[in-house]
Amino acid sequence: MNSRFAPSPTGYLHIGGARTALFAWAWAKNQQGKFILRIEDTDLARSSKASVAAILEGMSWLGLDYDEGPYFQTEHFERYKTVISQLLNSGKAYYCECSEKRLQELRDGLMAKGEKAKYDGHCRHKNLSSGVVRFQNPAAGNVVFTDLVKGKISVNNEELDDLIIARTDGSPTYNLTVVVDDFDMKIDVVIRGDDHINNTPKQINLYQALGWKLPDFAHLPMILGADGSRLSKRHGAVSVMAYREAGFLPEALLNYLARLGWSHGDKELFSTAEIIELFELKNVNKAPASFDADKLLWLNQHYIQTAPAQHLLDELAWHLQKNQIEITNEIDIFKVIESLRKRSKTLVEMAFGLKMFYQDFTTFDENLGKKHFKNKAPLELLLAKLMVLEAWTAAEIKAIIEKVAEELSVGFGKVGQPFRLALSGDGNAGSIDLVAELLGKDKVLKRLQMALEF
Ligand code: GLU
């Protein structure tokens, strides 16, 4: 049982596209069928190699692997030509030479009468041999199909136009290419956004004219932004890779997308394996789904807290490289990750928190420095005591902070805060005793000295 994802390479992989890809992927995997990737690049003016690369990158990051492809429609032109000839020869398609002017007048006339703008079949029986090629849509009867998400749909053929299937230059149009490829690729269910639902009856008529077995169709409801309008750039980041940049884990985004219009009881957390195991088209909602950024962040935090440290490190690597943070063996990265994961909602926060362990700095935050380093006594006393500390553990370090506070008759914070600033440079650090332990004695003493010179 095969499904496919058929993006047009005219931009990045968007949240909506990724959700479509995920559902088609999950369905195929669940059925132990093939998931096929087909790039619909026939619109040469709008397609680009960079977009193809961006789509592949997004899918690969999300782990949406395909069993076949990527196929490119531009490599199938001969096949489309053959099918168009077949339709012409069997009288199911015809050439049309109507001028743009005539078509415009026709449209205006029909619309003035309150009728649907539709081609009037002017060239249908003229036996022309050039121009655009139109499919001769059946004149009467209904196209009826049961969409696996939306249910039974019936459209009267009188509503449907004699569709252009080839332009004057012979190039095929979307409805023709999609039918040919879905048939050739033995697609069992066409899973796509419901923005294409109006095309489906036209495509069904093409299948029937060609004598081809119909696939099933499943049209996914659209995704809305918080304001109830269709999710778009206006609502913030919509490209999958922007979520990577913002520090999301792929499994968090995948889990989030899975629940965007699909459910399995009231379960919220799905591993990738569970998505595959439990996915059913009948549980896709008919109504549009709303994008909820807070929920996505909540999921991300959940996965950051629970993921194996090695996996976090693998995903972090991309952020570290981007920020030129180099992990050295001096400090155990896994201990650092453990110390940070509870405080981090995103990998960006985590990478940011990692920085102080692997990058020395030369200055402190000016305002915080003025505030916390004014009184040197706590830092001086800390330095003196830490210098001679032998068992370099968080517990011992904590005891020293407490002792310094006690000797100076101040609260723990009056020592902890300057210490935190001294070690981090900007005051952003977790539990200070643990941070000091992880940093190691050398770095701690150096940074304390630097703070004293502030
Ligand atoms: N290439 C179309 C698009 O990106 C999808 C066509 C389809 O899935 O049938 O909107």
Side-chain angles (χ1 to χ4, degrees), residues 4-10 17 20 38-41 55 73 174-175 177-179 182 190-193 195-196 199-200 203 217 219:
R4 48 52 159 197
F5 176 49
S8 304
T10 55
T20 302
R38 179 174 79 226
I39 306 290
E40 306 213 314
D41 57 346
I55 290 167
Q73 288 196 317
Y174 161 72
N175 281 297
T177 61
V178 82
V179 165
D182 284 339
V190 170
I191 299 170
R192 62 184 168 204
D195 47 333
H196 284 289
N199 288 319
T200 306
Q203 294 174 12
F217 294 91
H219 288 93

